Amino acid sequence: MRAVWKGAVTFGLVNVPVKLYSATEDHDVSLHQVHDADGGRIRYQRVCEIDGEIVPYQHIDKAYDDGERTVIITDEDLKSLPAERSREIEVVEFVPTDQIDPIMFDRSYYLEPDSASNKAYVLLREALESTDRTAVVRMALRQKTRLAALRVFGDVLMVQTLLWSDEVRQANFPALDEPAKITSKELDLSKQLIESLSNDFEPEQFVDEYQQELRTLIQAKLEQGDALDTAATFGEQAEEEGGEVIDLMEALRQSIAAKRGGAADAGKTSSAG
């Protein structure tokens, strides 16, 4: 695996150097579109709707329209925005693990210790596991600020980027507003059915049968000689252009003291008001 990010997890004064790796990968067979008459590759071209010319990538800008007006946003405009380049996974708070609904999860990444000693990494892992807590963190990934959940996965730490709350749609279905009468017998039978199908989840028992059959089909066609020369039919296509770990015990003590001091100051200000 190749690391996609390198930095450090920070909570209080504790610094845990880590490397970030994508935890998942896509195994779908990649298919192209071709002309059914001769197998020639079908390629999409970027055509300007005003002059009908094919436009290369270097002359393409982005735009936003509200239905009536269009605002063109150039690369220079985007470069003027403050880019997030922080190399910290900052712990914002620790929350009960069951309070983060799976619908919020987006992409998953493994964290690997990136220092001579893995003590700080193991300490954070065991602290999360023993308290059944998940760390809500902020991090910059691909120049964007992300909210993420840092949790324990087996014997490693994992970061799962989270959707923002306004990205999760509300499920408002009028049909569910209608009362439905469920008899005790119907409920008992449903429970029995669930019990009959109950088992421990073992993901390796499930495979993508469609992709397996597709690969078998492709291999059969190759063996039967039912194939075309790629160079002849597709033609040539031009290419487009953490810091060092400090003493853990002292860092933990100072972090707790700072947190208590902040709470005490807030209490004095409140009582004074």
Side-chain angles (χ1 to χ4, degrees), residues 54-267:
I54 298 173
V55 183
Y57 271 119
Q58 61 265 33
H59 294 299
I60 294 179
D61 285 331
K62 294 178 174 61
Y64 169 82
D65 76 86
D66 60 7
E68 296 181 359
R69 297 164 298 176
T70 295
V71 177
I72 295 177
I73 301 174
T74 67
D75 286 342
E76 291 302 315
D77 292 329
L78 293 175
K79 288 176 182 176
S80 70
L81 298 176
E84 282 284 5
R85 293 188 177 87
S86 171
R87 286 295 172 181
E88 288 188 353
I89 299 176
E90 177 195 3
V91 175
V92 179
E93 58 186 3
F94 295 96
V95 302
T97 296
D98 60 6
Q99 287 187 0
I100 302 180
D101 194 282
I103 197 173
M104 300 287 295
F105 292 139
D106 188 14
R107 300 293 299 274
S108 300
Y109 300 90
Y110 293 132
L111 293 181
E112 177 191 26
D114 187 30
S115 65
S117 170
N118 66 357
K119 184 174 181 179
Y121 182 98
V122 174
L123 173 64
L124 177 56
R125 184 192 69 195
E126 293 190 1
L128 288 174
E129 198 164 29
S130 62
T131 58
D132 195 21
R133 294 271 170 167
T134 291
V136 175
V137 302
R138 286 196 191 97
M139 61 184 297
L141 191 59
R142 297 185 177 89
Q143 297 187 329
K144 291 184 180 179
T145 300
R146 312 275 181 170
L147 190 67
L150 189 157
R151 66 183 185 87
V152 178
F153 182 78
D155 61 352
V156 303
L157 292 174
M158 167 179 279
V159 162
Q160 290 180 282
T161 54
L162 299 174
L163 299 174
W164 300 101
S165 60
D166 60 0
E167 293 179 311
V168 179
R169 292 177 173 177
Q170 296 297 315
N172 296 318
F173 302 124
L176 294 179
D177 295 335
E178 298 296 324
K181 185 177 180 180
I182 306 297
T183 67
S184 58
K185 184 64 174 178
E186 290 170 331
L187 186 57
D188 287 341
L189 288 173
S190 297
K191 290 180 179 178
Q192 290 177 32
L193 176 60
I194 290 174
E195 187 62 31
S196 70
L197 294 172
S198 294
N199 207 343
D200 292 327
F201 180 54
E202 299 178 8
E204 62 275 6
Q205 291 187 352
F206 301 90
V207 297
D208 189 337
E209 295 179 358
Y210 177 84
Q211 292 298 322
Q212 285 187 339
E213 293 296 332
L214 180 56
R215 286 187 174 89
T216 300
L217 174 63
I218 292 171
Q219 186 59 36
K221 283 180 170 286
L222 289 172
E223 291 174 356
Q224 294 167 9
D226 188 8
L228 302 172
D229 181 74
T230 300
T233 56
F234 282 17
E236 297 296 327
Q237 176 74 2
E239 293 187 4
E240 305 271 4
E241 293 293 316
E244 185 178 343
V245 179
I246 62 175
D247 181 86
L248 286 177
M249 291 299 294
E250 185 59 27
L252 290 169
R253 289 194 188 100
Q254 291 183 31
S255 299
I256 293 171
K259 189 70 175 177
R260 287 175 177 170
D265 291 343

